[in-house]
Amino acid sequence: MLALAACASVPPESGSTHRLSAQAIAAVRLDPAAAVAALNAYRAGKGLKPVLLDPALAAMAERQAKAMAAGNVLSHDVAGPFPARLTESGIDTWKAAENLGGGYMSLAEAMTGWRESPAHDANLLLTEATRFGIAIAKNPDTQYGVYWAMEIAAEAPLPAAAGEGVVMTLSGGATRPR
């Protein structure tokens, strides 16, 4: 399995709480249909096939976003290592990626932030992707207030052309064999 991970956020401010009010944070919403439309419009503009919203990936994204909000941290490992979370979520794939974000107050802001980051953009444009899940979690007593998680994956099984010994790529460029 090849797993890619990247994270993005708005620059943190000093102090432990988000600069916006609890009321502004509470007003943030995520419309899954709008997320499907936004991601697929972006992918179509790059000549890529659309992806479908996958309930298992959405549930995985929700667990990750909630763990980050509860822990006041942007981390691919706060809810467990990415490959383990894929397995625990029942995601059968040979290639997957994760984008995280903090402080974005809308889907448009999150998508813009991810598109402007080369690593995150590569995840959005994962050629083999066929499905994705996205979620937010909120905690006004934290640094970012709103935490975003997107999981994107290819279908299983591994294509014959991919061969053996695929390497899992983790955030920060570290690699380890799977």
Side-chain angles (χ1 to χ4, degrees):
M1 169 188 342
L2 176 62
L4 307 169
C7 55
S9 66
V10 295
E13 70 165 45
S14 59
S16 63
T17 58
H18 194 272
R19 62 180 161 70
L20 296 176
S21 70
Q23 184 177 6
I25 291 167
V28 176
R29 298 283 181 259
L30 173 61
D31 176 359
V36 170
L39 180 55
N40 283 333
Y42 183 58
R43 289 175 60 83
K46 303 291 185 178
L48 297 173
K49 293 180 182 178
V51 293
L52 299 174
L53 189 61
D54 181 279
L57 287 169
M60 181 179 160
E62 183 175 4
R63 285 188 298 276
Q64 180 67 13
K66 285 181 176 180
M68 291 188 304
N72 188 21
V73 63
L74 279 176
S75 167
H76 292 285
D77 295 324
V78 69
F82 183 59
R85 289 187 287 117
L86 285 167
T87 300
E88 291 164 4
S89 298
I91 308 299
D92 187 15
T93 187
W94 63 277
K95 193 167 191 180
E98 176 174 78
N99 282 354
L100 305 178
Y104 297 128
M105 301 304 283
S106 69
L107 174 63
E109 282 185 18
M111 290 295 292
T112 296
W114 289 333
R115 284 191 312 264
E116 291 176 352
S117 161
H120 298 97
D121 194 46
N123 291 346
L124 296 174
L125 300 175
L126 191 68
T127 304
E128 302 85 357
T130 58
R131 55 198 170 136
F132 85 110
I134 188 169
I136 61 171
K138 300 178 264 186
N139 184 343
D141 297 324
T142 61
Q143 182 176 18
Y144 298 107
V146 182
Y147 294 79
W148 294 77
M150 175 188 280
E151 319 298 342
I152 189 161
E155 291 298 326
L158 176 67
E164 304 253 347
V166 178
V167 174
M168 173 183 14
T169 306
L170 304 174
S171 182
T175 62
R176 69 179 167 189
R178 170 128 166 74

